[in-house]
Amino acid sequence: MAFRRRAKSHPLFSQEFLIHNHADIGFCLVLCVLISLMFEVTAKTAFLFILPQYNISVLTADGEIVFYHYGLKDLVTILFYIFIAIILHAVVQEYALDKINRRLHLSKIKHSKFNESGQLVAFHLASMVWCLYVIITEGYLSDPKRLWESYPHVYLPFQVKFFYLCQLSYWLHTLPELYFQKVRKEEIPRQLQYITLYLVHISGAYLLNLTRLGLILLLLQYVAEFLFHMARLFYFTDENNEKLFNAWAVVFVISRLFTLTLSVLVIGFGLARMENQAFNPEKGNFNTLLFRMGVLLLVCFSQAWMMWRFIHFQLRRWREYWNEQNTRKRIPATAHFKQQVKTMKRESGYHENGLVKAENGTSPRNKKLKSP
């Protein structure tokens, strides 16, 4: 097997066999698609899995440029890159996280959380660099008006569409990974919450032709999430190292404010001033008052929910910190009290149980009276 060294084999087609060999099975399927590119009969079908579909050539002043729009065939491409994400997940786990875990000797709960944060650190770092590159090359930062001008943004450059397809593939691959990684039942609802949030926001921006705004918001979100999971990794290696959590807290609050401000600016003001405000799904135009209100409510609700979770997390951290500080104060006080007791015992002739003890700890004997 390519990815794991196993001490024993499992029965074929059993659950344990699927769990321990899912990355190898995915690798074989990807390899079959790549081999099919070599034959003329199957090459056309193989391209459906590998390359984005629905391309169109547009004549511009710089020449002919190829753009893309979305359709049902994108599901085939997403399926292929789900297997790619499963393979990369196994590579990061096997050649990075497992080696670190062997040195740290973490408990089972910390072990699963360390693996989760390690995978997300790698993904968020790659997505941040890629997203920033797309935003800069497409000029969305240099000219913010492009975020709402010429809406609907039906035709996408290759790198924008491919970025969205890969993002959807990654977050969809995390659903079967809950089974493959044997995630505890207590952790599944929490992970399903943020997986669903990512899928709803990314697919919403892709299908409603708000891809330019979605790129900026994803960049802000991934910067905050990258710092959070990096802080968790440092915390698991050394529980006294919590400084990175403070940096994450500042970035998290700033990213929430920027997300709300930018969403209101683009959707509430930019799209509201556009002349074309007719509902036309065939042309990809959803710019109506009901559409704008719905999107803004969704964004505000998600940001408010995240802020509530953030405040709850910070209150719990402060409560644990003050409990730890109070415990540390009690220990010196108890030691000082014991020291005073020992000092009193060393003094000659102290009382114990109503009797006067001598210096050596023995009671003085009463003299016997002679009988008359």
Side-chain angles (χ1 to χ4, degrees), residues 11 120-121 230 249 288 301 359:
L120 290 174
V121 161
M230 280 295 296
T288 61
F301 173 78
E359 186 177 0

Side-chain angles (χ1 to χ4, degrees), residues 23-56:
D24 297 317
I25 296 172
F27 180 76
C28 293
L29 294 175
V30 170
L31 192 61
C32 290
V33 174
L34 295 177
I35 291 174
S36 63
L37 291 173
M38 302 171 61
F39 305 98
E40 186 177 356
V41 179
T42 57
K44 190 174 181 180
T45 305
F47 279 120
L48 292 175
F49 291 90
I50 299 173
L51 295 177
Q53 303 300 310
Y54 304 105
N55 58 316
I56 183 172

Side-chain angles (χ1 to χ4, degrees), residues 6-25:
R6 300 171 183 85
K8 61 178 181 179
S9 59
H10 300 280
L12 193 63
F13 303 119
S14 64
Q15 289 187 4
E16 291 296 326
F17 179 84
L18 179 63
I19 290 173
H20 286 80
N21 299 277
H22 67 276
D24 297 317
I25 296 172

Side-chain angles (χ1 to χ4, degrees), residues 328-344 346:
R328 290 180 179 179
K329 289 179 181 179
R330 287 173 192 158
I331 293 175
T334 306
H336 181 67
F337 176 75
K338 290 181 179 180
Q339 185 67 27
Q340 286 182 343
V341 172
K342 290 181 180 179
T343 305
M344 289 175 62
R346 291 193 188 97

Side-chain angles (χ1 to χ4, degrees), residues 261-301:
T261 304
L262 193 61
S263 299
V264 172
L265 176 65
V266 174
I267 300 173
F269 292 96
L271 294 181
R273 295 179 180 179
M274 298 292 295
E275 296 181 357
N276 187 9
Q277 297 191 15
F279 180 73
N280 192 348
E282 294 181 358
K283 295 183 178 181
N285 189 3
F286 303 95
N287 188 13
T288 61
L289 179 62
L290 183 63
F291 158 77
R292 294 194 298 270
M293 292 296 294
V295 173
L296 282 177
L297 284 175
L298 178 62
V299 172
C300 293
F301 173 78

